Amino acid sequence: MKMNKVCDVFSTKDYDAFEMHPFNRPIHENDTVEKSMRRVGFMPSKPMQCIRNGKGKIKIISGHHRFSIAKKLGINVCFVFDDSNIDIYELEGSSTSAWNTPDFAVARAR
């Protein structure tokens, strides 16, 4: 099997280097994810999707909740730079923590 390197996974505790995407849903408590991250940390196999915002910050496209929990726990966050042009709702709408109507309304109102 031939494999190609697609991207690098980065890790840091420099939370101030990041900014939230304005169209994402509000942060909700997630005890299940927090419990998991307390036990195993931030899994490099599920990094945040980020882009460079052009102003010196790293904008989080996907992974806001994991970022908030990692910051709360004081652990490294894992992230990749991926500027794939995909709508946040489409990206996260099929996840186990699917958006509800208020999440969608708040995100779109922004």
Side-chain angles (χ1 to χ4, degrees), residues 9-10 33 36-37 40-49 62-64 66-67 76-80:
V9 177
F10 299 94
V33 174
S36 172
M37 290 178 73
V40 300
F42 202 116
M43 293 175 55
S45 61
K46 301 287 186 200
M48 299 183 305
Q49 177 191 359
S62 174
H64 293 77
R66 288 174 287 141
F67 174 81
N76 280 27
V77 295
C78 295
F79 64 99
V80 296

Side-chain angles (χ1 to χ4, degrees), residues 21-41:
H21 193 289
F23 296 150
N24 207 323
R25 61 187 166 163
I27 299 295
H28 300 290
E29 292 290 322
N30 190 324
D31 294 335
T32 303
V33 174
E34 184 173 333
K35 185 177 178 181
S36 172
M37 290 178 73
R38 281 184 189 281
R39 195 176 80 250
V40 300

Side-chain angles (χ1 to χ4, degrees), residues 11-108:
S11 178
T12 187
K13 281 188 183 180
D14 184 4
Y15 311 117
D16 292 334
F18 296 89
E19 69 177 5
M20 300 294 190
H21 193 289
F23 296 150
N24 207 323
R25 61 187 166 163
I27 299 295
H28 300 290
E29 292 290 322
N30 190 324
D31 294 335
T32 303
V33 174
E34 184 173 333
K35 185 177 178 181
S36 172
M37 290 178 73
R38 281 184 189 281
R39 195 176 80 250
V40 300
F42 202 116
M43 293 175 55
S45 61
K46 301 287 186 200
M48 299 183 305
Q49 177 191 359
C50 300
I51 59 172
R52 290 180 173 89
N53 75 354
K55 300 174 187 170
K57 290 279 190 175
I58 301 167
K59 185 179 288 187
I60 302 169
I61 302 300
S62 174
H64 293 77
H65 287 83
R66 288 174 287 141
F67 174 81
S68 294
I69 293 169
K71 185 176 177 181
K72 176 181 174 181
L73 299 177
I75 61 175
N76 280 27
V77 295
C78 295
F79 64 99
V80 296
F81 289 107
D82 178 357
D83 61 356
S84 299
N85 189 11
I86 187 168
D87 186 88
I88 291 174
Y89 177 74
E90 182 181 351
L91 182 67
E92 294 187 354
S94 63
S95 72
T96 56
S97 59
W99 291 34
N100 59 32
T101 302
D103 290 339
F104 185 78
V106 168
R108 290 300 179 240

